[in-house]
Amino acid sequence: MQMKNNSKWLAAALSVVAVLLINWVSGLEFFRIDLTEGKVYTLSDGTKQILKNLDEPVTLRFYVSQGDDNMPLPLKGYARRVEDLLREFKAASKGKLVIEKLDPQPDSDAEDTASLDGVQPQSLNTGERFYFGLVVKRGEQKSAIPSIVMQRERLLEYDIVRAITRTAITKKTKIGVLSSIPVFGSPGMPMMGMPPSPKQVFISELERDFEVVRVSGSSTKIDDEVKVLLVIHPKGLSETTEFAIDQFILRGGKVIALLDSYAYFDLIPTPQGMQPGGSSSSLERLTKAWGVTFETEKMLADLQFMTGKGNRALPTLLTLNETAYSPTDIATAQLGEVLLAFTGAFTSSLTSGLKQVDLIKSSGYSELVSKEIAMEKGEQLATIIKPSGQSYPIAIRLEGQFKTAFPDGMPKSAANESASKSPVVKADASKGPASKEPDVAAPVSEVLTQSKENNAVILIADSDFINDNVAVQIQEIFGQRIVYPTNGNLAFLQSLVDQFAGDAALVSLRARQSTSYPFTVIREMETRAQQAYVGKIKALEENLQ
């Protein structure tokens, strides 16, 4: 009898617990467990940080047609996935993000609102139209994604987060450009055979979204208002300017540096006209302090990514595809082909506090060769290359806490220039307030020895890839200058600048893992077969001799 009573009480208790549990679960707005490889349905840490730090309510209007016949079935499924993602955003924002879902039917108020927000209808082959876009609104600021397309599904999280961060910007971010190449155009030197050159396309594209300013190659300090510094082929950069870049990074500034072992488009005047200079550049003092080595006397040759075949093969002109890119980084997701000419590569043994992310790297059928060998063409160069079996990083991102490359303080050359301007102040973010010394030396208020917070720097082993001759095709049509991108070169650089110019958390934002994987076996089989073929030809030629 006692056992029966105990069973009844136990059953009643379990019933109460079950009811409470059901009520608790039903009270949750959104809940999902992500068991996929690569955490396809989990928000990135950068996204969570941005949503957590929202200081005011943000409204996100999701426009999607709900009619049965207006949208194809695949798009309907995608729309549900987008809505699930927005629920995750709302849950992570702790109530700061308000989601409004609107169905813009013809001649409706929702359609008028979509038009005012900049969301335009998409058309099917049948002529039917449907709406699929969203708008982020914060106060009087708006940022729209007029059309959501399935091809950018992996980048959708980034696109939405970028739209959210853009609504917090009231004026254009200032981007500095330091270049030894005339990327802003030049009047030319007709007497020496140097015609005038127009502004490079990538500069014009940056000016659409940012305030772009020139930074002198002899600068002793980078303006504090500059958020991102783009360093292009820093040929012969002085120790003083490297110190200025060093301090800029330690203050929290972002740097994207395009180095080069052979800058083909660094043209020089000759009696025969303008000729490729083939000059090299580096930031040796800085990269050495970070534990990164850049070979200025060698170039990368790659049999798998070489452009052309047979006698027209160019192992030092690389046509890269998605197998060369980081699959989870925003800057390289859905990048398409990238064309690199006479590029270098990085090797590293990083100092403590830093980590490296490889954005672009070579195949295992590559080797670093001398400049003399790299000038050979076709199968002649292919016979010389002995693949090392390792992949060489071509574009890398360094993340973490940076330490100064000038532990002894400001270089003497800079100190002499500004000895009368202000006292030197040595500051270490980890050791409290800075202290003044009696020596008068620095034009800046303090000399930092390490960054106050984690920062990021991007290094790319080529500067030619953004040149108009490599990245775009320009045509004159009815008196208008029409520019067509011929590869993903400019998209890559623009994505990097966009990441750095936005919220700092955007830097760590990853692309969602793809649910499909590319077929790379065929390409590798072709490379091995070509290598064996070239080896046999060489052996036969030696026997013939």
Side-chain angles (χ1 to χ4, degrees), residues 386-422:
K386 295 180 176 57
S388 62
Q390 72 176 89
S391 297
Y392 293 94
I394 299 172
I396 62 176
R397 183 172 63 239
L398 303 179
E399 301 173 347
Q401 191 169 47
F402 290 80
K403 295 180 175 61
T404 183
F406 299 87
D408 297 328
M410 175 174 282
K412 292 182 179 179
S413 57
N416 293 336
E417 290 177 9
S418 54
S420 62
K421 294 185 178 179
S422 64

Side-chain angles (χ1 to χ4, degrees), residues 113-124:
T113 305
S115 180
L116 291 173
D117 281 343
V119 175
Q120 299 300 323
Q122 303 179 46
S123 298
L124 300 174

Side-chain angles (χ1 to χ4, degrees), residues 36-58:
T36 61
E37 182 182 1
K39 299 298 180 181
V40 177
Y41 301 107
T42 300
L43 294 181
S44 301
D45 291 337
T47 298
K48 293 176 181 177
Q49 180 181 336
I50 290 171
L51 295 174
K52 179 182 177 182
N53 293 338
L54 290 177
D55 56 357
E56 60 180 315
V58 175

Side-chain angles (χ1 to χ4, degrees), residues 243 246-247 250 404 406-411 423-429 434 441-450:
F243 174 77
D246 173 90
Q247 294 296 294
L250 300 188
T404 183
F406 299 87
D408 297 328
M410 175 174 282
V424 66
V425 181
K426 292 186 177 181
D428 189 329
V444 291
S445 58
E446 62 178 12
V447 176
L448 297 172
T449 59
Q450 70 179 40

